[in-house]
Amino acid sequence: MKRWASQKAAREARIEVGSRHARGKVVALTELRDFMEAVLQPADRVCLEGDNQKQADILAGALADVDPRKIHDLHMVQSGVVLPEHLDIFEKGIARRLDYSYSGPQAARIARLLFGGHIKLGAVHTYLELFARYFVDLTPNVALIAAVSADADGNLYTGPNTEDTPTIVEATSFKGGLVIAQVKEIVDKVPRVDIPGDQVHFVVETGRPFYVEPLFTRDPAAITETQILTAMLAIKGIYAPYGVRRLNHGIGFNTAAIELLLPTYGGKLGLKGKVCTHWALNPHPTLIPAIEAGWVEQIHCFGSEVGMEDYVAARSDIFFTGPDGSLRSNRAFCQTAGLYACDMFIGSTLQIDLEGHSSTVTATRIAGFGGAPNMGSDPHGRRHPSEPWLMAGAEADPDTPTPLRRGRKLVVQIGETFGEKNEPLFVERLEALLLSDKLDLELAPIMVYGDDVTHIVTEEGIANLLLCRGRDEREQAVRGVAGYTDVGRGRDRKMVERLRERGVIRRPEDLGIDPRDADRRMLAAHSIKDLMLASGGLYRPPSRFRNW
Amino acid sequence: MKRWASQKAAREARIEVGSRHARGKVVALTELRDFMEAVLQPADRVCLEGDNQKQADILAGALADVDPRKIHDLHMVQSGVVLPEHLDIFEKGIARRLDYSYSGPQAARIARLLFGGHIKLGAVHTYLELFARYFVDLTPNVALIAAVSADADGNLYTGPNTEDTPTIVEATSFKGGLVIAQVKEIVDKVPRVDIPGDQVHFVVETGRPFYVEPLFTRDPAAITETQILTAMLAIKGIYAPYGVRRLNHGIGFNTAAIELLLPTYGGKLGLKGKVCTHWALNPHPTLIPAIEAGWVEQIHCFGSEVGMEDYVAARSDIFFTGPDGSLRSNRAFCQTAGLYACDMFIGSTLQIDLEGHSSTVTATRIAGFGGAPNMGSDPHGRRHPSEPWLMAGAEADPDTPTPLRRGRKLVVQIGETFGEKNEPLFVERLEALLLSDKLDLELAPIMVYGDDVTHIVTEEGIANLLLCRGRDEREQAVRGVAGYTDVGRGRDRKMVERLRERGVIRRPEDLGIDPRDADRRMLAAHSIKDLMLASGGLYRPPSRFRNW
């Protein structure tokens, strides 16, 4: 006779052996290695919490410390491959298979391990896509998560970095999996309950906070005048005419420049209240001046940002905060918001090809996707209209009669024609294709596909791909804003001129923008210190960003 | 000086006046009307919980009972417009604006109220899209939700119908909004904590369970032989060749027939373990025989289904269940799973036009969207490959070289050429267009757009729209399976024959299926009683489905 509750029975058995190394639910650090070897089993599917920000670092270290003769062939299903330990476990043979989303700081090493065959790769996902699979075919047997504090019952407080935790716990705990949390301390009563204790089986008291990366802090001092020019183009040439109120920004300096130009340049254009009122965004420090100037109505966050805790807590009309006062972030909901409730995604990339495909992968670095492909895609399941969305749809498809014509999500790539280390942004062939050949991948790691991109902004101008009819026009529109790169110099000058006459390409002068006005004095803040001052001292930048 | 915590202050004020009608967090039924009039304010944005299944029915009644001179112009943002009270509030002037997703049983009355101008319509959404907006620009000021029980601290137990509750509460409670829950009873300790008490401000003890609709129960006795034929075509012509393992089924009899044919017809075809192993699906009673026969590995559920509680609890290896033993459903995560982790959506519709657009709207009934447009759309943000997805992508786009070619979600419409009341499934012009003219909508209420549909299955055969090149071929492929409807009789016979030669259209005989084999004896269960017996008595059908 078939048994139908074998998963719960297996969990009970894990809890029983784990309890030998615990007092109630609480595991001491000294017992951690024995505990891990007791509760884990070879070939387990394990979710080790960690995205681009918070990390269950102590549990990652403990996992890398188990005896590979006892625990091996794990299948890791996790948002981020960020800490060295995340890859150590593959080198040691503790883990074998990997499904993940983001690997920024480990991009080079993960590529080497993939080439060397140390990792059997499932797929590189977007965050939301990986979360989706947690509920379908990548459900974890064990989740190793991170919180700030816990009570004796296992109720968890995550503080502002709630991020992926509720999603991971829900998928694991309700499907017979084991949930183990690292916390700084055990307290009598948690400041708020982010995860109910009955979903948590063990808690490890570590005595120190989990690791968090301040990934979204951009120093205004490092913003160049070329970036300011691209920001002016975006504001006047895209934000204003479409009236983009609901949006997501990428992580780069170009969008940081936009944030810092809203109260100054945007104000002069009379855009306050007309654009950038509702956001799916982490608490970017560079958004402080716009918030203080009353531009922003509401922000929902994927995660938090180091140093922004007090500022966010003091601005509960803008941010989602809990009864404890601090931010409540939630990556799954914020990605959903970015997908379905935002009219624009704008971000930078490393390479763009002639079809408008973009990628952040090089032949030796696999950075993963994070959330960009989810937010930088046109959601066919959307059914609510908005002005920017309808306007973009009409540009793309003027022929379909109105009630049957869908809108389009604005997906904007912004950057300088020559990026870091003077590498050209535009290429004939993406390095992502080299990589997919080398690894024999079925899909090249494309961040945003050309058919989803609506605009490309460089210092040379804006290419509106919505207005392109056919492949040739699209290619020339891309070339037409590619500056002095090889791709740009390969343009058909006549065709580019015709595209410009039709408004497919718009130069700064077409928009009434004088590039000489792109001056750093236009930024609402010129340094991290300015941001701190603009926040009334509430923003407390991490020490590495302080030079005063 | 700008105040930055006005929302939380406003909530504190609401809690203070509400507390005058409560003992701690608990509001007695006798106080409910006064309580509601105290905590609500004109023009509030209110989320009244209710989707296609569970309903906060007592709170809906209480809302309809407030004095419209005191409480008026509410903006309702809710998944379902299902109970009469949901529309009474508009007739009475208590509410004015509406953003919603589903309105099955109220489809005719909501249409009348829209025509009459009683409702100022925002938009009709998919569930996930509306949830997304809860975090961006439709955040509720007040949420009226439903649970099974609560403790004195407001910790909530939802039982198997968790559904939308965590999403609504998160959006409302963390953004300064007020959360009011109706529960059957106050208990010392809830069986599991679905919503932590610090997110819940008031609890109304009603003495009876919230209303739940058994919407996903299909009586096998009502399945016709034509439906069995379409089910055979789908299994042999789509499920088998694509190897569809991860999927979502619609709510109709055609897909119920597929569920009941898996262990019989599917077994003969040797498909066990090769198709239909992982589901985003409610606990459909018609899936019991396939589950019992070992076809199904895992199911994640949007909501529960009346009568399936004990069966689900006894099958925790298949379903997501909590420490209390009962189902944990979650609509937001299940919709995300349906969007990003499923390779197929298959469902029925009311009308399909020559481009393959489909709609369930008629000129006098607005049923809303529910979840179908979300799951029945090609997710451009998907980045993980799977066999069915890659195969569909290759059929749609054989020319793009492999690593740059994306896959495609299989989106299948299944039905008989003449549906209920002998109405044709295929039409030249959707009634949805009449309706959008009449209401002057910017978007016609299209359920699934033609460019997202990959296959149409009728008793005449399967049209594979992925293989169509151009609009003409698509139209003839649609006409080619439209039978004796006007659309079907309008076909270009030669072109349809050529499409059949190319495998774009496949007739039953092309698949080796003899329509005479489509016999009710092939169903794994012939009645609700059979389903109950197949479950070993664990499935307890609602009385309206019992005739023994």
Side-chain angles (χ1 to χ4, degrees), chain A residues 210-280:
Chain A
F210 53 76
Y211 177 80
V212 193
E213 175 74 20
L215 195 69
F216 297 89
T217 299
R218 293 286 163 265
D219 188 343
I223 293 174
T224 67
E225 292 183 340
T226 312
Q227 286 161 346
I228 292 171
L229 176 58
T230 60
M232 291 167 68
L233 286 164
I235 292 171
K236 195 164 181 185
I238 302 177
Y239 289 55
Y242 292 99
V244 180
R245 297 190 56 175
R246 310 179 302 171
L247 74 165
N248 167 262
H249 269 190
I251 188 180
F253 281 96
N254 303 80
T255 44
I258 293 173
E259 291 156 19
L260 289 169
L261 286 182
L262 289 177
T264 55
Y265 183 66
K268 269 189 229 160
L269 297 175
L271 296 177
K272 186 174 168 182
K274 294 179 185 160
V275 305
C276 300
T277 52
H278 294 79
W279 299 75

Side-chain angles (χ1 to χ4, degrees), chain A residues 11 54 69 225 239 301 408 442 474 476 493:
Chain A
R11 175 167 67 193
K54 84 187 275 200
R69 287 167 302 182
E225 292 183 340
Y239 289 55
C301 300
R408 275 288 293 271
E442 290 162 308
R474 167 177 288 260
Q476 292 304 323
R493 299 204 165 270

Side-chain angles (χ1 to χ4, degrees), chain B residues 475-496:
Chain B
E475 177 180 329
Q476 292 304 324
V478 171
R479 290 189 189 274
V481 295
Y484 292 102
T485 62
D486 287 346
V487 166
R489 286 182 301 176
R491 73 186 61 177
D492 175 336
R493 298 204 165 270
K494 280 192 184 160
M495 193 159 166
V496 166

Side-chain angles (χ1 to χ4, degrees), chain A residues 6-8 129 139 170 174-175 193 198 298 317 321-322 340 374 380 383-384 403 406 444 447 451-452, chain B residues 6-8 129 139 174-175 193 198 298 317 321-322 340 374 380 383-384 403 406 444 447 451-452:
Chain A
S6 59
Q7 293 174 2
K8 284 200 169 177
E129 181 188 11
T139 308
E170 175 139 5
F174 290 108
K175 198 68 196 55
V193 178
D198 56 10
Q298 187 163 310
D317 281 356
T321 60
Y340 268 137
N374 171 60
H380 280 203
R383 292 294 180 272
H384 76 280
R406 274 183 284 189
M447 184 67 89
D451 58 355
D452 280 325
Chain B
S6 60
Q7 293 175 2
K8 283 199 169 178
E129 181 187 12
T139 308
F174 290 107
K175 198 68 197 52
V193 178
D198 56 9
Q298 187 162 310
D317 281 356
T321 60
Y340 268 138
N374 171 61
H380 280 204
R383 292 294 180 272
H384 75 280
R406 274 183 285 189
M447 183 67 88
D451 58 355
D452 280 326

Side-chain angles (χ1 to χ4, degrees), chain B residues 36-37 40-46 63 66-76 89-90 92-97:
Chain B
M36 294 287 273
E37 290 181 351
L40 286 168
Q41 285 164 14
D44 270 342
R45 203 183 284 141
V46 177
L63 187 62
V66 299
D67 185 342
R69 287 167 302 184
K70 295 179 189 164
I71 312 297
H72 46 83
D73 292 307
L74 299 181
H75 179 182
M76 306 305 296
I89 57 175
F90 287 93
K92 291 181 181 176
I94 297 165
R96 177 85 187 124
R97 298 176 63 196

Side-chain angles (χ1 to χ4, degrees), chain B residues 387-417:
Chain B
E387 283 307 314
W389 187 77
L390 291 171
M391 195 171 151
E395 287 184 345
D397 176 15
D399 299 329
T400 298
T402 315
L404 276 175
R405 180 171 67 207
R406 274 183 285 189
R408 274 289 292 274
K409 168 87 148 272
L410 294 166
V411 177
V412 182
Q413 298 281 6
I414 184 169
E416 302 101 277
T417 53

Side-chain angles (χ1 to χ4, degrees), chain B residues 31-81:
Chain B
E31 288 282 317
L32 187 52
R33 186 189 163 146
D34 291 340
F35 168 80
M36 294 287 273
E37 290 181 351
V39 298
L40 286 168
Q41 285 164 14
D44 270 342
R45 203 183 284 141
V46 177
C47 178
L48 177 53
E49 184 172 13
D51 44 49
N52 49 10
Q53 301 181 273
K54 85 187 275 201
Q55 302 298 336
D57 55 335
I58 302 287
L59 294 177
L63 187 62
D65 201 33
V66 299
D67 185 342
R69 287 167 302 184
K70 295 179 189 164
I71 312 297
H72 46 83
D73 292 307
L74 299 181
H75 179 182
M76 306 305 296
V77 291
Q78 61 192 68
S79 286
V81 176

